[in-house]
Amino acid sequence: MIVRAATPAVTFDSGGVPLAGLLHLPAGPGPYPVVLLLQGFPGNERNLDLAQALRAAGYAAVAFHYRGSWGMGGTWSWANALEDAAAVARAVRTEAFASAYRLDPGRLALFGHSFGGFAALMIAAADPSIAAVVSVSGFDFGTVSRTLDPAARARYVEAFGEELLPLRGTSGEALVAEMERAGDRWSLAGLSPRLAGRPVLLIGTSDDTVTPADVHHRPLVKAYDQAALDHHEWHTDHALSDHRGRLIETVRAFLDGRL
């Protein structure tokens, strides 16, 4: 029997809220390695070009919307989105889900961009069974929270507040306050001991006003010296607008060597 590529809509539960997802399945009988794509804030860039390229290379790729975003129920918060990402990472490895979609639950990688890069590193550090993690233009909440003077704080309140149209139940002030409360618990450098010896790909973007490389990327390259680390820094913007092909090639090469 010929097994064709398919793109089924799937649903995940997190905190009692159903989350809409999309599963990109390759052709063939499987079982396929799985890449969970974690989008940033507020989720304008979903990296579905990467999902399609990974499918063509034999990977199953999963994308979904966080609680309180893009029509999902519940309310948006950084912590809720972290819980959602961890819940989906567990769900795709359950026997029922993996069997239904011909997935290999032992070969799961996380890919995240911006807030999603932060989430990918946080979840991978907490779960040693995750095989590999990719963070692109990752936002280091712990570093930012340590450097918030009143002027910088006001800029973040304004910047977060301008992105709320697809989100519900939050505000720029609430998001900054949550980041401040978390403090060093959300420091990406602090994850280093739990990522020692594990495959990590970091991609920084130096023409980036959202996660400038000198703040969010280069310190992590130094901190993760005990990880099985690949790292790159490219002269491009936060969305990697003129580096999408290079991003796809780099992520695929990294995963091919680990999954």
Side-chain angles (χ1 to χ4, degrees), residues 12-252:
F12 304 101
D13 178 86
S14 181
V17 177
L19 306 177
L22 198 62
L23 180 57
H24 299 74
L25 292 174
Y32 320 114
V34 190
V35 183
L36 175 57
L37 305 180
L38 302 177
Q39 63 201 39
F41 167 85
N44 293 313
E45 174 55 74
R46 298 189 68 196
N47 293 287
L48 297 184
D49 56 342
L50 175 61
Q52 295 285 3
L54 289 174
R55 176 188 7 221
Y59 296 88
V62 184
F64 73 98
H65 286 304
Y66 305 114
R67 211 180 320 175
S69 73
W70 298 90
M72 301 301 101
T75 59
W76 169 275
S77 71
W78 306 124
N80 280 353
L82 279 173
E83 290 177 7
D84 297 343
V88 175
R90 291 190 298 270
V92 298
R93 291 179 289 172
T94 61
E95 182 177 356
F97 193 92
S99 176
Y101 295 108
R102 306 181 304 281
L103 309 180
D104 183 347
R107 292 188 290 164
L108 171 67
L110 305 183
F111 168 94
H113 170 250
S114 194
F115 165 76
F118 162 80
L121 290 168
M122 291 284 289
I123 294 161
D127 184 350
S129 68
I130 290 171
V133 58
V134 180
S135 175
V136 178
S137 305
F139 190 96
D140 191 339
F141 283 80
T143 293
V144 171
S145 68
R146 288 194 301 270
T147 59
L148 279 183
D149 60 31
R153 189 184 192 283
R155 287 193 296 271
Y156 274 106
V157 169
E158 180 179 7
F160 291 158
E162 289 174 349
E163 301 290 342
L164 298 180
L165 181 60
L167 308 182
R168 56 185 286 178
T170 190
S171 66
E173 173 61 35
L175 293 174
V176 171
E178 184 182 9
M179 177 172 64
E180 290 173 318
R181 289 192 302 272
D184 282 342
R185 290 189 293 110
W186 286 357
S187 167
L188 293 182
L191 304 178
S192 178
R194 285 179 282 169
L195 295 172
R198 299 176 60 192
V200 177
L201 171 60
L202 299 176
I203 297 175
T205 41
S206 56
D207 299 338
D208 183 349
T209 59
V210 180
T211 55
D214 60 331
V215 175
H216 296 269
H217 173 69
R218 295 171 202 157
L220 289 191
V221 171
K222 293 180 180 178
Y224 291 178
D225 60 342
Q226 298 301 308
L229 179 66
D230 283 7
H231 63 91
H232 306 270
E233 184 178 320
W234 297 334
H235 293 292
T236 187
D237 65 0
H238 187 63
L240 293 88
S241 301
D242 57 2
H243 276 60
R244 301 302 301 183
R246 189 175 182 184
L247 172 66
I248 288 166
E249 292 171 3
T250 301
V251 171
R252 177 182 170 180

